[in-house]
mmCIF file with all atom_site columns, all heavy atoms in Angstrom:
data_model
loop_
_atom_site.group_PDB
_atom_site.id
_atom_site.type_symbol
_atom_site.label_atom_id
_atom_site.label_alt_id
_atom_site.label_comp_id
_atom_site.label_asym_id
_atom_site.label_entity_id
_atom_site.label_seq_id
_atom_site.pdbx_PDB_ins_code
_atom_site.Cartn_x
_atom_site.Cartn_y
_atom_site.Cartn_z
_atom_site.occupancy
_atom_site.B_iso_or_equiv
_atom_site.pdbx_formal_charge
_atom_site.auth_seq_id
_atom_site.auth_comp_id
_atom_site.auth_asym_id
_atom_site.auth_atom_id
_atom_site.pdbx_PDB_model_num
ATOM 1   N N   . ALA A 1 118 ? -16.850 2.269  26.499 1.00 98.00 ? 132 ALA A N   1
ATOM 2   C CA  . ALA A 1 118 ? -16.153 1.842  27.711 1.00 98.00 ? 132 ALA A CA  1
ATOM 3   C C   . ALA A 1 118 ? -15.703 3.041  28.546 1.00 98.00 ? 132 ALA A C   1
ATOM 4   O O   . ALA A 1 118 ? -15.791 3.019  29.779 1.00 98.00 ? 132 ALA A O   1
ATOM 5   C CB  . ALA A 1 118 ? -14.966 0.967  27.352 1.00 98.00 ? 132 ALA A CB  1
ATOM 6   N N   . VAL A 1 119 ? -15.221 4.085  27.884 1.00 98.00 ? 133 VAL A N   1
ATOM 7   C CA  . VAL A 1 119 ? -14.806 5.288  28.604 1.00 98.00 ? 133 VAL A CA  1
ATOM 8   C C   . VAL A 1 119 ? -16.016 5.917  29.300 1.00 98.00 ? 133 VAL A C   1
ATOM 9   O O   . VAL A 1 119 ? -15.961 6.279  30.488 1.00 98.00 ? 133 VAL A O   1
ATOM 10  C CB  . VAL A 1 119 ? -14.149 6.301  27.656 1.00 98.00 ? 133 VAL A CB  1
ATOM 11  C CG1 . VAL A 1 119 ? -13.938 7.652  28.345 1.00 98.00 ? 133 VAL A CG1 1
ATOM 12  C CG2 . VAL A 1 119 ? -12.816 5.765  27.143 1.00 98.00 ? 133 VAL A CG2 1
ATOM 13  N N   . LEU A 1 120 ? -17.125 6.035  28.579 1.00 98.00 ? 134 LEU A N   1
ATOM 14  C CA  . LEU A 1 120 ? -18.317 6.660  29.155 1.00 98.00 ? 134 LEU A CA  1
ATOM 15  C C   . LEU A 1 120 ? -18.961 5.787  30.219 1.00 98.00 ? 134 LEU A C   1
ATOM 16  O O   . LEU A 1 120 ? -19.615 6.297  31.140 1.00 98.00 ? 134 LEU A O   1
ATOM 17  C CB  . LEU A 1 120 ? -19.316 6.996  28.047 1.00 98.00 ? 134 LEU A CB  1
ATOM 18  C CG  . LEU A 1 120 ? -18.874 8.153  27.147 1.00 98.00 ? 134 LEU A CG  1
ATOM 19  C CD1 . LEU A 1 120 ? -19.777 8.271  25.926 1.00 98.00 ? 134 LEU A CD1 1
ATOM 20  C CD2 . LEU A 1 120 ? -18.877 9.475  27.924 1.00 98.00 ? 134 LEU A CD2 1
ATOM 21  N N   . ASP A 1 121 ? -18.781 4.478  30.124 1.00 98.00 ? 135 ASP A N   1
ATOM 22  C CA  . ASP A 1 121 ? -19.268 3.597  31.177 1.00 98.00 ? 135 ASP A CA  1
ATOM 23  C C   . ASP A 1 121 ? -18.549 3.905  32.491 1.00 98.00 ? 135 ASP A C   1
ATOM 24  O O   . ASP A 1 121 ? -19.158 3.861  33.575 1.00 98.00 ? 135 ASP A O   1
ATOM 25  C CB  . ASP A 1 121 ? -19.066 2.143  30.776 1.00 98.00 ? 135 ASP A CB  1
ATOM 26  C CG  . ASP A 1 121 ? -19.702 1.166  31.741 1.00 98.00 ? 135 ASP A CG  1
ATOM 27  O OD1 . ASP A 1 121 ? -20.945 1.152  31.837 1.00 98.00 ? 135 ASP A OD1 1
ATOM 28  O OD2 . ASP A 1 121 ? -18.960 0.414  32.403 1.00 98.00 ? 135 ASP A OD2 1
ATOM 29  N N   . LYS A 1 122 ? -17.263 4.223  32.409 1.00 98.00 ? 136 LYS A N   1
ATOM 30  C CA  . LYS A 1 122 ? -16.517 4.608  33.606 1.00 98.00 ? 136 LYS A CA  1
ATOM 31  C C   . LYS A 1 122 ? -17.016 5.952  34.140 1.00 98.00 ? 136 LYS A C   1
ATOM 32  O O   . LYS A 1 122 ? -17.082 6.165  35.365 1.00 98.00 ? 136 LYS A O   1
ATOM 33  C CB  . LYS A 1 122 ? -15.023 4.666  33.313 1.00 98.00 ? 136 LYS A CB  1
ATOM 34  C CG  . LYS A 1 122 ? -14.407 3.330  32.928 1.00 98.00 ? 136 LYS A CG  1
ATOM 35  C CD  . LYS A 1 122 ? -12.893 3.399  32.742 1.00 98.00 ? 136 LYS A CD  1
ATOM 36  C CE  . LYS A 1 122 ? -12.182 3.502  34.073 1.00 98.00 ? 136 LYS A CE  1
ATOM 37  N NZ  . LYS A 1 122 ? -10.710 3.317  33.924 1.00 98.00 ? 136 LYS A NZ  1
ATOM 38  N N   . VAL A 1 123 ? -17.381 6.852  33.240 1.00 98.00 ? 137 VAL A N   1
ATOM 39  C CA  . VAL A 1 123 ? -17.967 8.124  33.659 1.00 98.00 ? 137 VAL A CA  1
ATOM 40  C C   . VAL A 1 123 ? -19.286 7.862  34.388 1.00 98.00 ? 137 VAL A C   1
ATOM 41  O O   . VAL A 1 123 ? -19.559 8.435  35.446 1.00 98.00 ? 137 VAL A O   1
ATOM 42  C CB  . VAL A 1 123 ? -18.177 9.057  32.451 1.00 98.00 ? 137 VAL A CB  1
ATOM 43  C CG1 . VAL A 1 123 ? -18.956 10.311 32.859 1.00 98.00 ? 137 VAL A CG1 1
ATOM 44  C CG2 . VAL A 1 123 ? -16.834 9.442  31.831 1.00 98.00 ? 137 VAL A CG2 1
ATOM 45  N N   . ASP A 1 124 ? -20.115 6.981  33.819 1.00 98.00 ? 138 ASP A N   1
ATOM 46  C CA  . ASP A 1 124 ? -21.396 6.645  34.448 1.00 98.00 ? 138 ASP A CA  1
ATOM 47  C C   . ASP A 1 124 ? -21.205 6.069  35.849 1.00 98.00 ? 138 ASP A C   1
ATOM 48  O O   . ASP A 1 124 ? -22.014 6.311  36.755 1.00 98.00 ? 138 ASP A O   1
ATOM 49  C CB  . ASP A 1 124 ? -22.156 5.629  33.595 1.00 98.00 ? 138 ASP A CB  1
ATOM 50  C CG  . ASP A 1 124 ? -22.647 6.204  32.273 1.00 98.00 ? 138 ASP A CG  1
ATOM 51  O OD1 . ASP A 1 124 ? -22.635 7.439  32.128 1.00 98.00 ? 138 ASP A OD1 1
ATOM 52  O OD2 . ASP A 1 124 ? -23.029 5.404  31.391 1.00 98.00 ? 138 ASP A OD2 1
ATOM 53  N N   . LYS A 1 125 ? -20.138 5.307  36.026 1.00 98.00 ? 139 LYS A N   1
ATOM 54  C CA  . LYS A 1 125 ? -19.884 4.668  37.323 1.00 98.00 ? 139 LYS A CA  1
ATOM 55  C C   . LYS A 1 125 ? -19.177 5.588  38.312 1.00 98.00 ? 139 LYS A C   1
ATOM 56  O O   . LYS A 1 125 ? -18.945 5.217  39.464 1.00 98.00 ? 139 LYS A O   1
ATOM 57  C CB  . LYS A 1 125 ? -19.056 3.401  37.112 1.00 98.00 ? 139 LYS A CB  1
ATOM 58  C CG  . LYS A 1 125 ? -19.824 2.302  36.386 1.00 98.00 ? 139 LYS A CG  1
ATOM 59  C CD  . LYS A 1 125 ? -18.928 1.100  36.071 1.00 98.00 ? 139 LYS A CD  1
ATOM 60  C CE  . LYS A 1 125 ? -19.727 -0.006 35.387 1.00 98.00 ? 139 LYS A CE  1
ATOM 61  N NZ  . LYS A 1 125 ? -18.853 -1.141 34.981 1.00 98.00 ? 139 LYS A NZ  1
ATOM 62  N N   . GLY A 1 126 ? -18.802 6.793  37.864 1.00 98.00 ? 140 GLY A N   1
ATOM 63  C CA  . GLY A 1 126 ? -18.187 7.758  38.746 1.00 98.00 ? 140 GLY A CA  1
ATOM 64  C C   . GLY A 1 126 ? -16.707 7.569  38.957 1.00 98.00 ? 140 GLY A C   1
ATOM 65  O O   . GLY A 1 126 ? -16.108 8.216  39.828 1.00 98.00 ? 140 GLY A O   1
ATOM 66  N N   . THR A 1 127 ? -16.071 6.706  38.168 1.00 98.00 ? 141 THR A N   1
ATOM 67  C CA  . THR A 1 127 ? -14.628 6.482  38.326 1.00 98.00 ? 141 THR A CA  1
ATOM 68  C C   . THR A 1 127 ? -13.797 7.338  37.369 1.00 98.00 ? 141 THR A C   1
ATOM 69  O O   . THR A 1 127 ? -12.566 7.273  37.391 1.00 98.00 ? 141 THR A O   1
ATOM 70  C CB  . THR A 1 127 ? -14.288 4.997  38.103 1.00 98.00 ? 141 THR A CB  1
ATOM 71  O OG1 . THR A 1 127 ? -14.686 4.613  36.788 1.00 98.00 ? 141 THR A OG1 1
ATOM 72  C CG2 . THR A 1 127 ? -15.019 4.128  39.124 1.00 98.00 ? 141 THR A CG2 1
ATOM 73  N N   . LEU A 1 128 ? -14.451 8.123  36.544 1.00 98.00 ? 142 LEU A N   1
ATOM 74  C CA  . LEU A 1 128 ? -13.773 8.982  35.576 1.00 98.00 ? 142 LEU A CA  1
ATOM 75  C C   . LEU A 1 128 ? -14.670 10.171 35.284 1.00 98.00 ? 142 LEU A C   1
ATOM 76  O O   . LEU A 1 128 ? -15.905 10.059 35.334 1.00 98.00 ? 142 LEU A O   1
ATOM 77  C CB  . LEU A 1 128 ? -13.490 8.201  34.285 1.00 98.00 ? 142 LEU A CB  1
ATOM 78  C CG  . LEU A 1 128 ? -12.758 8.929  33.153 1.00 98.00 ? 142 LEU A CG  1
ATOM 79  C CD1 . LEU A 1 128 ? -11.331 9.274  33.565 1.00 98.00 ? 142 LEU A CD1 1
ATOM 80  C CD2 . LEU A 1 128 ? -12.738 8.064  31.889 1.00 98.00 ? 142 LEU A CD2 1
ATOM 81  N N   . LYS A 1 129 ? -14.068 11.318 34.988 1.00 98.00 ? 143 LYS A N   1
ATOM 82  C CA  . LYS A 1 129 ? -14.830 12.505 34.631 1.00 98.00 ? 143 LYS A CA  1
ATOM 83  C C   . LYS A 1 129 ? -14.417 12.990 33.247 1.00 98.00 ? 143 LYS A C   1
ATOM 84  O O   . LYS A 1 129 ? -13.259 12.860 32.847 1.00 98.00 ? 143 LYS A O   1
ATOM 85  C CB  . LYS A 1 129 ? -14.602 13.620 35.655 1.00 98.00 ? 143 LYS A CB  1
ATOM 86  C CG  . LYS A 1 129 ? -15.170 13.310 37.033 1.00 98.00 ? 143 LYS A CG  1
ATOM 87  C CD  . LYS A 1 129 ? -14.987 14.504 37.977 1.00 98.00 ? 143 LYS A CD  1
ATOM 88  C CE  . LYS A 1 129 ? -15.603 14.226 39.335 1.00 98.00 ? 143 LYS A CE  1
ATOM 89  N NZ  . LYS A 1 129 ? -15.446 15.397 40.250 1.00 98.00 ? 143 LYS A NZ  1
ATOM 90  N N   . LEU A 1 130 ? -15.390 13.572 32.529 1.00 98.00 ? 144 LEU A N   1
ATOM 91  C CA  . LEU A 1 130 ? -15.094 14.079 31.195 1.00 98.00 ? 144 LEU A CA  1
ATOM 92  C C   . LEU A 1 130 ? -14.085 15.217 31.222 1.00 98.00 ? 144 LEU A C   1
ATOM 93  O O   . LEU A 1 130 ? -13.367 15.442 30.242 1.00 98.00 ? 144 LEU A O   1
ATOM 94  C CB  . LEU A 1 130 ? -16.381 14.546 30.504 1.00 98.00 ? 144 LEU A CB  1
ATOM 95  C CG  . LEU A 1 130 ? -17.327 13.459 30.004 1.00 98.00 ? 144 LEU A CG  1
ATOM 96  C CD1 . LEU A 1 130 ? -18.598 14.093 29.442 1.00 98.00 ? 144 LEU A CD1 1
ATOM 97  C CD2 . LEU A 1 130 ? -16.654 12.594 28.947 1.00 98.00 ? 144 LEU A CD2 1
ATOM 98  N N   . ASP A 1 131 ? -14.029 15.933 32.333 1.00 98.00 ? 145 ASP A N   1
ATOM 99  C CA  . ASP A 1 131 ? -13.078 17.044 32.391 1.00 98.00 ? 145 ASP A CA  1
ATOM 100 C C   . ASP A 1 131 ? -11.724 16.644 32.968 1.00 98.00 ? 145 ASP A C   1
ATOM 101 O O   . ASP A 1 131 ? -10.863 17.495 33.196 1.00 98.00 ? 145 ASP A O   1
ATOM 102 C CB  . ASP A 1 131 ? -13.659 18.228 33.168 1.00 98.00 ? 145 ASP A CB  1
ATOM 103 C CG  . ASP A 1 131 ? -13.977 17.902 34.620 1.00 98.00 ? 145 ASP A CG  1
ATOM 104 O OD1 . ASP A 1 131 ? -13.743 16.755 35.048 1.00 98.00 ? 145 ASP A OD1 1
ATOM 105 O OD2 . ASP A 1 131 ? -14.482 18.800 35.327 1.00 98.00 ? 145 ASP A OD2 1
ATOM 106 N N   . ALA A 1 132 ? -11.523 15.342 33.168 1.00 98.00 ? 146 ALA A N   1
ATOM 107 C CA  . ALA A 1 132 ? -10.202 14.863 33.582 1.00 98.00 ? 146 ALA A CA  1
ATOM 108 C C   . ALA A 1 132 ? -9.194  15.140 32.473 1.00 98.00 ? 146 ALA A C   1
ATOM 109 O O   . ALA A 1 132 ? -9.518  15.036 31.287 1.00 98.00 ? 146 ALA A O   1
ATOM 110 C CB  . ALA A 1 132 ? -10.255 13.376 33.899 1.00 98.00 ? 146 ALA A CB  1
ATOM 111 N N   . LYS A 1 133 ? -7.967  15.486 32.852 1.00 98.00 ? 147 LYS A N   1
ATOM 112 C CA  . LYS A 1 133 ? -6.950  15.834 31.868 1.00 98.00 ? 147 LYS A CA  1
ATOM 113 C C   . LYS A 1 133 ? -6.088  14.615 31.515 1.00 98.00 ? 147 LYS A C   1
ATOM 114 O O   . LYS A 1 133 ? -5.782  13.785 32.371 1.00 98.00 ? 147 LYS A O   1
ATOM 115 C CB  . LYS A 1 133 ? -6.049  16.945 32.402 1.00 98.00 ? 147 LYS A CB  1
ATOM 116 C CG  . LYS A 1 133 ? -6.749  18.279 32.621 1.00 98.00 ? 147 LYS A CG  1
ATOM 117 C CD  . LYS A 1 133 ? -7.142  18.915 31.303 1.00 98.00 ? 147 LYS A CD  1
ATOM 118 C CE  . LYS A 1 133 ? -7.746  20.296 31.516 1.00 98.00 ? 147 LYS A CE  1
ATOM 119 N NZ  . LYS A 1 133 ? -6.771  21.265 32.048 1.00 98.00 ? 147 LYS A NZ  1
ATOM 120 N N   . VAL A 1 134 ? -5.737  14.519 30.244 1.00 98.00 ? 148 VAL A N   1
ATOM 121 C CA  . VAL A 1 134 ? -4.778  13.512 29.784 1.00 98.00 ? 148 VAL A CA  1
ATOM 122 C C   . VAL A 1 134 ? -3.648  14.236 29.064 1.00 98.00 ? 148 VAL A C   1
ATOM 123 O O   . VAL A 1 134 ? -3.863  15.253 28.398 1.00 98.00 ? 148 VAL A O   1
ATOM 124 C CB  . VAL A 1 134 ? -5.434  12.469 28.850 1.00 98.00 ? 148 VAL A CB  1
ATOM 125 C CG1 . VAL A 1 134 ? -6.369  11.569 29.618 1.00 98.00 ? 148 VAL A CG1 1
ATOM 126 C CG2 . VAL A 1 134 ? -6.189  13.141 27.704 1.00 98.00 ? 148 VAL A CG2 1
ATOM 127 N N   . ASP A 1 135 ? -2.447  13.715 29.211 1.00 96.00 ? 149 ASP A N   1
ATOM 128 C CA  . ASP A 1 135 ? -1.273  14.360 28.623 1.00 96.00 ? 149 ASP A CA  1
ATOM 129 C C   . ASP A 1 135 ? -1.081  13.942 27.170 1.00 96.00 ? 149 ASP A C   1
ATOM 130 O O   . ASP A 1 135 ? -1.161  12.764 26.821 1.00 96.00 ? 149 ASP A O   1
ATOM 131 C CB  . ASP A 1 135 ? -0.022  13.997 29.413 1.00 96.00 ? 149 ASP A CB  1
ATOM 132 C CG  . ASP A 1 135 ? -0.017  14.615 30.803 1.00 96.00 ? 149 ASP A CG  1
ATOM 133 O OD1 . ASP A 1 135 ? -0.600  15.710 30.955 1.00 96.00 ? 149 ASP A OD1 1
ATOM 134 O OD2 . ASP A 1 135 ? 0.548   13.998 31.721 1.00 96.00 ? 149 ASP A OD2 1
ATOM 135 N N   . VAL A 1 136 ? -0.847  14.931 26.334 1.00 96.00 ? 150 VAL A N   1
ATOM 136 C CA  . VAL A 1 136 ? -0.524  14.695 24.927 1.00 96.00 ? 150 VAL A CA  1
ATOM 137 C C   . VAL A 1 136 ? 0.971   14.920 24.764 1.00 96.00 ? 150 VAL A C   1
ATOM 138 O O   . VAL A 1 136 ? 1.444   16.060 24.793 1.00 96.00 ? 150 VAL A O   1
ATOM 139 C CB  . VAL A 1 136 ? -1.309  15.637 24.002 1.00 96.00 ? 150 VAL A CB  1
ATOM 140 C CG1 . VAL A 1 136 ? -1.066  15.266 22.537 1.00 96.00 ? 150 VAL A CG1 1
ATOM 141 C CG2 . VAL A 1 136 ? -2.797  15.617 24.326 1.00 96.00 ? 150 VAL A CG2 1
ATOM 142 N N   . THR A 1 137 ? 1.707   13.844 24.620 1.00 94.00 ? 151 THR A N   1
ATOM 143 C CA  . THR A 1 137 ? 3.154   13.928 24.481 1.00 94.00 ? 151 THR A CA  1
ATOM 144 C C   . THR A 1 137 ? 3.557   13.569 23.052 1.00 94.00 ? 151 THR A C   1
ATOM 145 O O   . THR A 1 137 ? 2.801   12.920 22.320 1.00 94.00 ? 151 THR A O   1
ATOM 146 C CB  . THR A 1 137 ? 3.834   12.970 25.466 1.00 94.00 ? 151 THR A CB  1
ATOM 147 O OG1 . THR A 1 137 ? 3.334   11.645 25.261 1.00 94.00 ? 151 THR A OG1 1
ATOM 148 C CG2 . THR A 1 137 ? 3.546   13.382 26.907 1.00 94.00 ? 151 THR A CG2 1
ATOM 149 N N   . ALA A 1 138 ? 4.756   13.970 22.683 1.00 92.00 ? 152 ALA A N   1
ATOM 150 C CA  . ALA A 1 138 ? 5.213   13.729 21.318 1.00 92.00 ? 152 ALA A CA  1
ATOM 151 C C   . ALA A 1 138 ? 5.199   12.248 20.967 1.00 92.00 ? 152 ALA A C   1
ATOM 152 O O   . ALA A 1 138 ? 4.882   11.872 19.832 1.00 92.00 ? 152 ALA A O   1
ATOM 153 C CB  . ALA A 1 138 ? 6.616   14.305 21.134 1.00 92.00 ? 152 ALA A CB  1
ATOM 154 N N   . ASP A 1 139 ? 5.511   11.386 21.921 1.00 92.00 ? 153 ASP A N   1
ATOM 155 C CA  . ASP A 1 139 ? 5.596   9.959  21.617 1.00 92.00 ? 153 ASP A CA  1
ATOM 156 C C   . ASP A 1 139 ? 4.233   9.301  21.476 1.00 92.00 ? 153 ASP A C   1
ATOM 157 O O   . ASP A 1 139 ? 4.132   8.184  20.972 1.00 92.00 ? 153 ASP A O   1
ATOM 158 C CB  . ASP A 1 139 ? 6.411   9.230  22.697 1.00 92.00 ? 153 ASP A CB  1
ATOM 159 C CG  . ASP A 1 139 ? 5.691   9.204  24.035 1.00 92.00 ? 153 ASP A CG  1
ATOM 160 O OD1 . ASP A 1 139 ? 5.333   10.282 24.529 1.00 92.00 ? 153 ASP A OD1 1
ATOM 161 O OD2 . ASP A 1 139 ? 5.490   8.104  24.576 1.00 92.00 ? 153 ASP A OD2 1
ATOM 162 N N   . ILE A 1 140 ? 3.178   9.985  21.910 1.00 94.00 ? 154 ILE A N   1
ATOM 163 C CA  . ILE A 1 140 ? 1.847   9.385  21.817 1.00 94.00 ? 154 ILE A CA  1
ATOM 164 C C   . ILE A 1 140 ? 1.123   9.814  20.543 1.00 94.00 ? 154 ILE A C   1
ATOM 165 O O   . ILE A 1 140 ? 0.119   9.229  20.161 1.00 94.00 ? 154 ILE A O   1
ATOM 166 C CB  . ILE A 1 140 ? 1.012   9.738  23.067 1.00 94.00 ? 154 ILE A CB  1
ATOM 167 C CG1 . ILE A 1 140 ? -0.020  8.635  23.342 1.00 94.00 ? 154 ILE A CG1 1
ATOM 168 C CG2 . ILE A 1 140 ? 0.304   11.085 22.923 1.00 94.00 ? 154 ILE A CG2 1
ATOM 169 C CD1 . ILE A 1 140 ? -0.719  8.762  24.676 1.00 94.00 ? 154 ILE A CD1 1
#
Side-chain angles (χ1 to χ4, degrees):
V133 170
L134 289 170
D135 187 66
K136 296 184 74 169
V137 173
D138 291 346
K139 292 175 178 176
T141 60
L142 181 66
K143 293 184 178 181
L144 286 176
D145 62 0
K147 295 291 184 66
V148 290
D149 291 329
V150 186
T151 56
D153 68 305
I154 208 170

